[in-house]
Amino acid sequence: MIGTAVVSLHRAFQQSGMLLGCFITFASFVVGLYTCILIVKATGTDADYSVTAKKYYGNLCQTYALGNFGFYAALLCPAVLILGAVVVYYVLLCQSLYPLLLAIYALCSSTKPPEQQKPLWNTFSTAYVALALFPILIWLCSKKDLSIFRRIGSFGIVFVVMIMLFIIGVGILAMTNTTFELGSYKTS
């Protein structure tokens, strides 16, 4: 399963190198696939995992962990973990949207606005992006028919392939030309 550690993969690749990074990524894929297979086998057709939790954890939690309170705690703990992942992805979404909005503003106004690294309230920063993005996401998620998002999400493979081709291209370019400056497109 993919968790919030996926946001640090770029740093892991930087520190480990291309070959070891690819090996570790493949090993993580195998472990994640095995975990998903175990979850699918354990749950079957149980959509909300309540039957699975009752079957596997029900007697254990009710006998050894405070009765029904233990059972409901076993149901609540994964939800708290998922909430942590949602918060991390929300922060990443805000931090990714902020430079994009600055770039659109710079393109429309032909000026370069200063980029704020910290969430400040006296100038446009990630704090305002977070406040504006929250009600938009709440509105989008409160729709009854979310099938349009499933259709949009099915195009995700196109973007994954584009990112993979970009990474492979930049990697090949970096292996052929090692005299470049970080942060610029100029070669020495």
Side-chain angles (χ1 to χ4, degrees):
M1 305 293 293
I2 293 178
T4 55
V6 76
V7 300
S8 64
L9 280 178
H10 67 283
R11 179 80 171 148
F13 266 102
Q14 179 189 17
Q15 294 298 315
S16 65
M18 186 65 85
L19 188 63
L20 183 60
C22 288
F23 176 74
I24 291 172
T25 302
F26 183 74
S28 300
F29 160 73
V30 170
V31 170
L33 178 66
Y34 180 69
T35 305
C36 287
I37 289 171
L38 286 178
I39 289 172
V40 168
K41 282 182 180 179
T43 59
T45 59
D46 187 12
D48 62 355
Y49 303 111
S50 61
V51 175
T52 304
K54 193 78 158 169
K55 182 167 78 173
Y56 289 108
Y57 301 116
N59 295 333
L60 179 71
C61 291
Q62 288 178 346
T63 304
Y64 298 109
L66 306 173
N68 281 336
F69 176 76
F71 172 70
Y72 289 115
L75 286 178
L76 185 65
C77 287
V80 171
L81 285 173
I82 291 173
L83 180 65
V86 168
V87 167
V88 168
Y89 292 129
Y90 178 72
V91 168
L92 285 174
L93 186 63
C94 290
Q95 289 178 346
S96 298
L97 188 60
Y98 173 67
L100 181 67
L101 291 176
L102 279 181
I104 291 171
Y105 175 76
L107 184 68
C108 293
S109 67
S110 299
T111 61
K112 184 176 181 195
E115 185 174 346
Q116 302 295 331
Q117 298 297 330
K118 295 180 181 178
L120 302 173
W121 293 105
N122 56 356
T123 61
F124 181 68
S125 66
T126 54
Y128 287 111
V129 174
L131 283 178
L133 190 61
F134 187 73
I136 293 170
L137 291 177
I138 293 293
W139 175 74
L140 284 174
C141 292
S142 66
K143 293 188 155 296
K144 289 185 180 180
D145 184 23
L146 298 176
S147 62
I148 184 71
F149 297 115
R150 280 184 284 174
R151 282 187 242 130
I152 292 171
S154 64
F155 288 110
I157 189 66
V158 174
F159 298 109
V160 169
V161 169
M162 288 170 51
I163 290 171
M164 287 174 57
L165 290 174
F166 174 75
I167 290 172
I168 290 170
V170 169
I172 290 171
L173 178 67
M175 285 189 281
T176 60
N177 180 13
T178 59
T179 57
F180 56 87
E181 297 176 22
L182 291 177
S184 69
Y185 294 110
K186 300 176 184 176
T187 57
S188 301

